[in-house]
Amino acid sequence: MNASQPSRPPLQPIQKRRAVPRPKRHLRQRSYQLMALETTAKIAVNLAISTAAISALVQLVPYQLTQQDRLREVGTEVKLMQTRVENLQSEFNRNFDPHQAQSIRQQQAYRFDPHQLPVVFVHQDGKEVEVLELLP
């Protein structure tokens, strides 16, 4: 009973599990393929956006040129209207000027003050040139 028992269990060779080597090359190739696919997709999207932008510019440039032509035409019309408005404004001011009221009435009614004498310039060939009214 009191037999001595070995203090150590008997040595048996321990079998190590062999690690199955992962196919690292396939993972690398797959990651490269995914990167290539992603880059191709990015390039395709950028080309599509660039094409859309270029087509929009091609359509907008002629429209912008016609708008510039219209703007030039409107600018010239505005200048013409400004001169016309200035002429009308000066005529309006003259017509409503109380100091010139009598001379305007004489021009419009062709009536003259009885104290004015007409002066007529005549060429030597007998044609009348100008008629002036003078006060005595």
Side-chain angles (χ1 to χ4, degrees):
M1 283 204 206
N2 286 344
S4 71
Q5 295 183 357
S7 63
R8 287 187 178 178
L11 293 176
Q12 294 178 356
I14 301 175
Q15 292 183 350
K16 290 184 180 179
R17 285 190 175 184
R18 278 186 142 187
V20 177
R22 292 186 180 180
K24 292 182 181 180
R25 289 182 186 169
H26 295 295
L27 288 177
R28 285 183 190 163
Q29 284 179 348
R30 186 171 179 136
S31 67
Y32 291 148
Q33 287 174 349
L34 287 175
M35 286 176 34
L37 181 66
E38 182 182 349
T39 306
T40 305
K42 286 181 182 179
I43 291 173
V45 168
N46 284 334
L47 285 175
I49 292 172
S50 299
T51 304
I54 290 171
S55 67
L57 283 175
V58 166
Q59 291 176 357
L60 286 177
V61 167
Y63 178 75
Q64 193 256 352
L65 293 175
T66 58
Q67 292 300 319
Q68 283 182 350
D69 290 340
R70 287 182 184 172
L71 184 63
R72 276 190 225 109
E73 290 175 8
V74 168
T76 56
E77 289 179 11
V78 165
K79 287 179 183 177
L80 291 173
M81 288 299 124
Q82 283 178 342
T83 56
R84 184 171 180 227
V85 165
E86 289 172 0
N87 291 338
L88 291 174
Q89 186 70 35
S90 64
E91 185 178 330
F92 177 82
N93 289 338
R94 182 179 170 270
N95 286 338
F96 285 96
D97 185 13
H99 300 291
Q100 296 183 6
Q102 184 160 351
S103 64
I104 292 171
R105 267 187 261 129
Q106 286 178 357
Q107 286 176 357
Q108 292 177 353
Y110 297 106
R111 293 185 181 174
F112 299 101
D113 189 14
H115 300 290
Q116 286 183 337
L117 300 173
V119 176
V120 179
F121 293 105
V122 181
H123 281 293
Q124 290 179 354
D125 57 356
K127 294 183 180 179
E128 289 184 9
V129 176
E130 187 176 347
V131 176
L132 295 176
E133 297 294 326
L134 295 176
L135 292 176

